[in-house]
Amino acid sequence: MFLSIALVPAGPANAASSTYYVSAAGNDTNAGTSSDAPWRTLGKVNSTTFQPGDTIRFRAGDSWAGQLWPKGSGVDGAPIAVDRFGDGAKPKLVGQGAVGEVVRLFNQEHWEIRNLDVSNAKPATGTPGANLGDFRGIGVHGDNGRTLRHFVVDSVDVHDVTGEVKWIGGDPADNSPGVTWKTGWDRSKNTGGIVFTTTVPNIAAPGNPTVLTGITVQNSTIKNTSFAGVTVKQYTGDAPGAVRTGWGTRRTADDVLFRPHTNVTIRGNYITQANTAFGGNGVYLTNVRDGLVERNVIDRVGVSGIETYYADRVTVQHNEVMGTHHAQGSADANGLDPDVGTTNQLFQYNYLHDNGDGILLCGCGTPRFGSAVIRYNVVTGSKRWNLHMWQEAGTVATIHNNTFYSTEAPNMVSGNNSGRATLTNNLFVSGRSASFLQQSSLTYSNNGYSSNLTSRPSSDSRRVVGDPRFVNPAVRGPYGDENGPRLDTAANFALQAGSVFVDAGATVTGSGGRDFAGTPVPSGSRPDIGAFERGGPAPGISFEESFDGAATGPLASGTNGWRVVSTGNEVGVVDTPSVTDKSVRLNRTTDGGGTDGTNLARIFGTPLQGLVTIEAQVMRNDTQAGWFGLPYVYNSSGSQAVSVALARGQIHAYEGGTSRVVGTYASGQWYRITLGVDTVNQRFDLDVDGRRVLTGAAFRTSMPEIGKIAWYANSAERGAVHVDDVRISSGPTSTS
C-alpha cells in the first residue's frame, strides 16, 4: 500500500550524536557513553560541551545535589536532550537553596529537558520567609543580544522552590522577610518553578535584546514554587543606573522598541501553590508575542491563575483554574487576567471555579491601549466578583457567551471602566441580588439574567430573564488534578430543554463558531445565551489506555475495545518501558493481514465529530525501513483522512494529498504524537513532543466524522514499534 512513497534517508544532523549516562554509582573516569559505564557527578556533566543531537541520561531513582548546567547548543532538528534511563522514580536534582537554579541554561539554544525531579528549597528558619531567596527550579537565561531558539521542558516535576517574592509597586513599609515591595520591573517576579528571562551584560550599555523563541513547557507538575509556577519575562532597564530599553514595557500597541519572546506554549501542566505560604501566580506570561496556554490545571495559587502582561497575540484556552486566593497582600485573587499593555488576547473555553475572583480585565495604568476577547468560559463559585473591569480609555474588550454563576459574590460585573467593552450573550446567574457595573463605556446587549438579579443593567434592552435550567448547578466535582482538567464537569452548567436562554442569543461576528464543548454555533435557529449550545456533547475524555493493567503477552482482539489484527505477526503487551509501565508492541516480520496488516485500532460505534484530540506515545525499536502509520485516522467510510508515519529515521505526515517530512526520530526513543483534529473545518494540527510541526493542515479526504484510529503497517513493510498512553478527547482541542 505504501510502496509508491519515496523515502528519503535521514539527514546527517544526528550522525555524530552520542548518548551519555550518569549514575550515582558511576565514575567520572568512565567514557559515559554506556549505561554500564556511566559518569557520576554533575561536575563532569557541567564541564562537558555537548554537540547537536547528544542526549544526557540520568539514572532513574538516583539523586544529585547542586546545579546542572551542561554546556553547548543544539541546532534545528538536532537538539541536545536531558532525560532519564532505567526503571524507577524520576532522577532527583536537589538545589537546597545553594544555587540560583537547579537546572540552568545561559546563552544556549535547542535544548529539551525531560523526566527530572527538581527542587530548590533552602532549609526553613524560625522566621517565616527568612529562607526565601533568588531561587528557581529551572532557569533559562540569556544576555548575548541574539535570538535563542527551541526550548522544551517536558514531563518534569518541579517542587519546593523557596524563591523570594518581589513586587513591582506597592509600599516598602509592607516589607516582610522574603517579601519586598516597590522593587521595579527588572528586580521583581524573577523566581519560581520554571523561569525564562533575559537580561543584558551591562545595564549602562544594554546593546541589543536577547529574545527567546520556541518555548514549550508541557506535561509537568510544578508545586509550591513561590512567586510563580511558570514565568516568561523580558528585560526593560528600570534598575538604578540602568539605561531604559523599552524592550519589556511597551508604551503603545505598535511600539517598535517592544522586543518580546515569541512562540511560547504552556500545555498540559498541573500547577499548585497549595502548600506554601508564599505562593503566587500559576502562569505569568510577560513580554510574549504568539503564546498558547492550554489544558493546564491551576490549583490553589495566589494572585492570578493565568496572567498576561505586556503581551501580544496570546490564546488562553481549555484550562481549569480553581481555588485562587489573595497572597502576601495582593489586591487580586482571580482565575484569568489579561493585564496591562496586552493586545490581541483571546481567553476562551476555560473552566474557572471556586476562586476568590473570576476574570479580571486590567488594561490599567499609563499604557492606554489593549484589546481582548473573552468568550465561552464557565465561571462558577467566585467569592468577590465574577467579572472585574478596570480598563483605561483606549482599550477594547469583547465579552460574549460566558456563563457566570455564583451564590456568594456580591458583584457580577464590577470595577471602574473607561475603555470600550461590549457584553453580549453572557449568562449571569446568582444566588443573591448581585450588582452590575453600569457606565457609558460598557455596552450590554442580549445577555441573560436569572430572575433574582433585579439590579440587571437597564441599558440591556434585549435582555432575557428567567430560569437557566442548568443540568446540575450544585455539582462538586470531579475536578482536575495531575491527570489533567475535568472540563466535562463544567457541562453541568449547560442548558436543559425549556430554558428561556436556548436560541435566544444574538449573532456575534467572529465568534469562533464553536461553544465550550466544541458544538457548532448555532445548533438551533439562533445561538444560545451562555457558554453551551443545548444538546451538544460534554467535553472530556472519550478514551484513555495505558496498557499497564493488561496481561503481558499477545493482545486478543476485543480486549478493552481494541481491534487487533496480527496475522502471521505479533501484537502484544510487553514490559516496556517497565513491568509497571507497559506498552503494546507491533512486530511485523512477514506479509499477512491484508489491508489491515499488523494493526492496533480503535473503532467508534458512534463516530467522533467536532474537535477531537488524539495522543499517544510511540517508539520504533528497530533499524528497518518499514513504514508504520502512527497513527492513521479514518472517516466512517474507512478512508484515510489524517496520516502520520515513522519510516527510515523520518516522521512523515500528509498535508492534503502531499506527504511531508516534519521531523526525525531515533530508534529506541519515545515520541509523543498529538493530533488536534477538527472535523467541522476539515483540518488538523500535529505536535511532536509538544513542538507544533503542522498547523491547520488539510485532510487527505473529507472526514465529517472519525470512524477509526489505527497504529499499523501492512504489505511489504517490516519493523517493530511500541504504542503507549493513548488518550482520545472529545470537545475542545488546541485547534483554533
Side-chain angles (χ1 to χ4, degrees), residues 216 459 508 560 591 722:
T216 299
S459 60
V508 177
N560 200 19
D591 286 346
H722 292 256

Side-chain angles (χ1 to χ4, degrees), residues 178-355:
V179 181
T180 309
W181 295 86
K182 204 170 186 178
T183 61
W185 174 256
D186 291 327
R187 290 160 292 160
S188 70
K189 305 188 178 184
N190 293 318
T191 64
I194 303 172
V195 179
F196 297 84
T197 183
T198 55
T199 183
V200 295
N202 183 351
I203 64 173
N208 295 317
T210 303
V211 174
L212 307 178
T213 188
I215 296 170
T216 299
V217 178
Q218 64 177 8
N219 306 324
S220 297
T221 67
I222 303 108
K223 301 178 180 179
N224 308 318
T225 56
S226 66
F227 170 68
V230 180
T231 294
V232 180
K233 182 184 172 188
Q234 177 64 286
Y235 178 83
T236 199
D238 74 344
V243 172
R244 178 171 287 276
T245 66
W247 301 332
T249 50
R250 58 202 295 214
R251 299 166 299 176
T252 62
D254 56 357
D255 188 349
V256 295
L257 296 178
F258 184 52
R259 295 292 300 274
H261 306 303
T262 61
N263 299 318
V264 177
T265 299
I266 314 297
R267 173 191 293 129
N269 305 289
Y270 175 79
I271 302 173
T272 184
Q273 305 281 22
N275 295 313
T276 173
F278 299 93
N281 293 43
V283 175
Y284 187 67
L285 291 192
T286 69
N287 324 121
V288 165
R289 173 170 284 138
D290 296 322
L292 175 63
V293 183
E294 66 175 3
R295 293 195 175 277
N296 302 282
V297 176
I298 314 294
D299 181 11
R300 290 168 290 173
V301 304
V303 188
S304 183
I306 302 170
E307 179 178 350
T308 58
Y309 196 87
Y310 286 113
D312 182 39
R313 297 200 301 257
V314 178
T315 297
V316 176
Q317 60 184 9
H318 316 317
N319 302 282
E320 182 177 0
V321 184
M322 55 186 165
T324 303
H325 55 269
H326 295 275
Q328 302 307 316
S330 67
D332 301 325
N334 58 71
L336 300 176
D337 176 15
D339 210 283
V340 174
T342 53
T343 47
N344 303 303
Q345 305 293 289
L346 176 59
F347 284 48
Q348 61 181 0
Y349 310 129
N350 300 287
Y351 179 29
L352 316 181
H353 61 88
D354 305 300
N355 297 293

